[in-house]
Amino acid sequence: MQDIRLKAFWSLLFWAFCCLLLGWFTNAHVAWLAYLSGVLAYLAGHLYWIHRLYQWALKPSLNFIPNGKGIWEDIFANLYHEMRRHSRSQSQLSSTLERLRHATSALPDGVVVLNNRNEIEWFNEPAVQRLGLKRHHDENQPIYYLLRQAEFVEYLQAEEYSEPLKLKSWRTPDVTLELQIIPFASKQRLLICRDVSAIEKTEVMRRDFIANVSHELRTPLTVIGGFLETISDMQGEVSPDIQPYFDMMQVQTTRMRRIIEDLLTLSRLENNVTLKDEVEIDMHAMLQQLHRDAEALSQGQHTVTLHMDTKVNLLGSYNELMSAMSNLTSNAVRYTPPQGKIDIYWQMRGEEVVFTVQDNGIGIESHHLPRLTERFYRADSGRSRDTGGTGLGLSIVKHILHHHQASLLVESEPGQGSCFRIVFPAQRILPA
Ligand code: ADP
């Protein structure tokens, strides 16, 4: 298409030339009159097409788009192509949407589409069964009118959807639902609802099984350990040939007792999801105690230094935090060869407070780091066993930190040493 301004210019120039010729054969008046009538007719033509365009724009339809004349032919042709392209992409979009709806309907999980005011726009069949939504009746209703549980309303308003929310179903109490909100587009949300009763039951069974087995094993082991101690105390009663076996049995019994104690601690931590004994912890006293314990464990083989860079206290469980922090310091002692250096730091980092244990010990290869907090995961199993490790320490630390909304950061370099950091959020900090 040519530039329409150029077309208009050439048309008017051509008409001026014709009128000039006319003036040549007649006179100037006739030429001017002809020129003015031509320009007026030209403007009237444009007015007519503008009117047609306006009429069409009131009720735009692809079938009734005018044909136009001159430059208007190009304008309407372009409009026609643009409209066709638009209507094609719109029908493609609606068929994609339709397919998406069919696919979502076939999902085993309940799916609810919410708009920016948390009103229900659409939901699939499983959402009807799991959440008790009624088709045609509940559409356009705010979701919190229908799911009124306080935990859900809080979850919806908190706008922090990285973790799903587990709820007992309000319709069938033995059903556990997992609700997850996924934001999409501009402030729209997808609510996914999953029935996790079977997983939940297996998880409870697993937890009960470990707790029961550990509990049942504790008494016989205490008895065996007691007898072994009594026998080894009986001077001269045990022949020197079998004394090494007795010693080995004692070491292994102690190890098993430690594993059972750690398993029971883990079960307790898993069952108590929220903290019950929150107190203000005097961090100065606690860190001094940790320092003394680490020095006692090291028996003078390492240089253990405490750096108290801040005096803030913590709000939490004394026993739990003492256990988590001493796990890190005892690991540092156990995985650092004699003459090594261990530094314990208590520092502010922005709004947060950080507890750090840094050693220059054996270090950990990077591929082990993401798995260190798994139960029984050991980067160096030989050393862990030799130093009395159970492989459960960091798993216990992880659970305790979860209770305190804190996080564990690990940096390590094989042969250079490790740095374990616990970062406590601002809401856990109390001025000393
Ligand atoms: P364990 O009782 O075996 O020490 P943990 O759960 O406390 O179990 O630690 C898991 C593993 O992480 C350990 O087996 C060890 O390989 C590694 N680890 C933990 N702390 C350190 C450290 N400071 N230096 C080197 N390795 C460490």
Side-chain angles (χ1 to χ4, degrees):
M1 187 191 73
Q2 283 180 29
D3 186 337
I4 58 168
R5 288 166 304 180
L6 215 61
K7 269 192 173 182
F9 172 75
W10 284 120
S11 308
L12 288 173
L13 198 71
F14 175 72
W15 184 239
F17 180 71
C18 293
C19 292
L20 214 66
L21 277 183
L22 188 70
W24 184 270
F25 291 113
T26 57
N27 58 44
H29 288 293
V30 177
W32 272 113
L33 206 65
Y35 184 70
L36 282 177
S37 354
V39 171
L40 275 176
Y42 184 77
L43 289 177
H46 281 309
L47 256 177
Y48 170 73
W49 288 118
I50 288 171
H51 170 73
R52 291 287 304 269
L53 179 63
Y54 176 74
Q55 288 294 321
W56 174 83
L58 289 176
K59 251 185 172 180
S61 155
L62 197 60
N63 297 331
F64 298 110
I65 201 155
N67 284 331
K69 281 269 179 299
I71 52 178
W72 286 96
E73 199 176 338
D74 290 343
I75 292 172
F76 286 125
N78 272 320
L79 207 57
Y80 178 77
H81 289 305
E82 218 24 62
M83 285 278 294
R84 260 190 58 169
R85 205 178 56 76
H86 181 69
S87 96
R88 231 180 287 138
S89 66
Q90 213 168 28
S91 61
Q92 259 171 10
L93 203 71
S94 47
S95 85
T96 312
L97 204 70
E98 203 48 39
R99 277 209 306 275
L100 206 72
R101 282 195 173 181
H102 280 306
T104 331
S105 304
L107 278 178
D109 299 335
V111 178
V112 184
V113 179
L114 303 174
N115 66 15
N116 55 356
R117 290 183 300 278
N118 289 321
E119 290 162 353
I120 299 174
E121 281 195 348
W122 179 85
F123 49 89
N124 66 357
E125 201 45 40
V128 175
Q129 291 149 19
R130 307 251 147 85
L131 303 174
L133 301 180
K134 292 189 200 87
R135 213 161 275 297
H136 308 304
H137 183 266
D138 290 342
E139 272 140 6
N140 301 320
Q141 295 277 351
I143 184 83
Y144 46 83
Y145 279 12
L146 306 158
L147 313 186
R148 287 162 178 263
Q149 275 170 303
E151 294 108 302
F152 175 73
V153 177
E154 230 170 74
Y155 177 65
L156 187 70
Q157 284 166 352
E159 304 207 345
E160 212 314 281
Y161 306 128
S162 54
E163 291 286 321
L165 171 76
K166 266 192 199 156
L167 278 182
K168 282 270 161 232
S169 167
W170 47 101
R171 307 175 73 219
T172 16
D174 54 338
V175 169
T176 308
L177 298 176
E178 188 181 81
L179 303 174
Q180 168 108 53
I181 291 182
I182 302 166
F184 73 102
S186 55
K187 294 206 167 179
Q188 280 193 291
R189 284 148 195 197
L190 213 60
L191 171 67
I192 313 271
C193 163
R194 209 168 285 146
D195 182 349
V196 289
S197 317
I199 303 172
E200 190 73 358
K201 257 184 214 147
T202 322
E203 183 60 17
V204 171
M205 266 163 62
R206 179 191 67 80
R207 259 188 258 150
D208 287 353
F209 176 76
I210 294 176
N212 292 340
V213 167
S214 313
H215 201 73
E216 291 300 321
L217 285 177
R218 187 152 68 165
T219 318
L221 262 177
T222 313
V223 174
I224 295 171
F227 280 131
L228 283 173
E229 245 170 61
T230 317
I231 295 170
S232 63
D233 283 350
M234 290 155 79
Q235 298 289 325
E237 290 290 318
V238 182
S239 105
D241 296 348
I242 55 169
Q243 185 64 45
Y245 302 118
F246 263 107
D247 293 344
M248 231 188 308
M249 279 158 81
Q250 259 185 317
V251 169
Q252 292 305 329
T253 319
T254 313
R255 203 166 89 78
M256 268 171 86
R257 269 155 78 177
R258 235 183 254 142
I259 294 177
I260 282 167
E261 287 309 324
D262 277 359
L263 280 174
L264 282 169
T265 308
L266 261 178
S267 300
R268 247 194 326 270
L269 288 169
E270 274 184 332
N271 288 331
N272 304 333
V273 200
T274 49
L275 276 178
K276 290 190 185 78
D277 54 343
E278 274 191 28
V279 288
E280 175 172 358
I281 301 167
D282 178 350
M283 287 309 291
H284 185 259
M286 185 162 150
L287 292 169
Q288 296 283 354
Q289 182 62 44
L290 267 174
H291 184 215
R292 279 196 295 273
D293 291 351
E295 279 187 324
L297 187 67
S298 152
Q299 295 181 333
Q301 291 182 312
H302 308 88
T303 314
V304 188
T305 319
L306 172 64
H307 310 261
M308 284 276 300
D309 294 350
T310 175
K311 287 200 168 113
V312 295
N313 285 338
L314 279 182
L315 180 69
S317 154
Y318 180 88
N319 290 338
E320 287 194 6
L321 288 177
M322 187 67 185
S323 156
M325 290 176 176
S326 65
N327 248 306
L328 299 189
T329 50
S330 78
N331 276 353
V333 172
R334 284 167 42 230
Y335 297 105
T336 302
Q339 315 311 326
K341 239 169 95 13
I342 295 159
D343 290 287
I344 305 167
Y345 296 91
W346 183 239
Q347 300 163 310
M348 285 305 291
R349 200 175 67 177
E351 300 273 276
E352 301 163 329
V353 66
V354 186
F355 170 77
T356 308
V357 180
Q358 181 147 27
D359 64 57
N360 62 352
I362 59 170
I364 309 163
E365 284 185 53
S366 58
H367 67 271
H368 292 299
L369 297 182
R371 300 192 58 190
L372 284 186
T373 55
E374 286 176 21
R375 283 157 198 245
F376 296 113
Y377 190 86
R378 292 160 166 122
D380 184 337
S381 43
R383 192 172 178 111
S384 163
R385 283 197 189 93
D386 291 349
T387 55
T390 60
L392 294 167
L394 291 180
S395 189
I396 292 175
V397 171
K398 183 182 81 174
H399 279 87
I400 293 174
L401 299 195
H402 184 68
H403 284 179
H404 292 81
Q405 298 83 42
S407 50
L408 179 69
L409 307 176
V410 189
E411 284 165 31
S412 190
E413 191 79 38
Q416 302 293 313
S418 311
C419 179
F420 284 75
R421 281 197 182 90
I422 302 180
V423 183
F424 292 95
Q427 76 257 31
R428 288 270 157 210
I429 301 173
L430 296 172

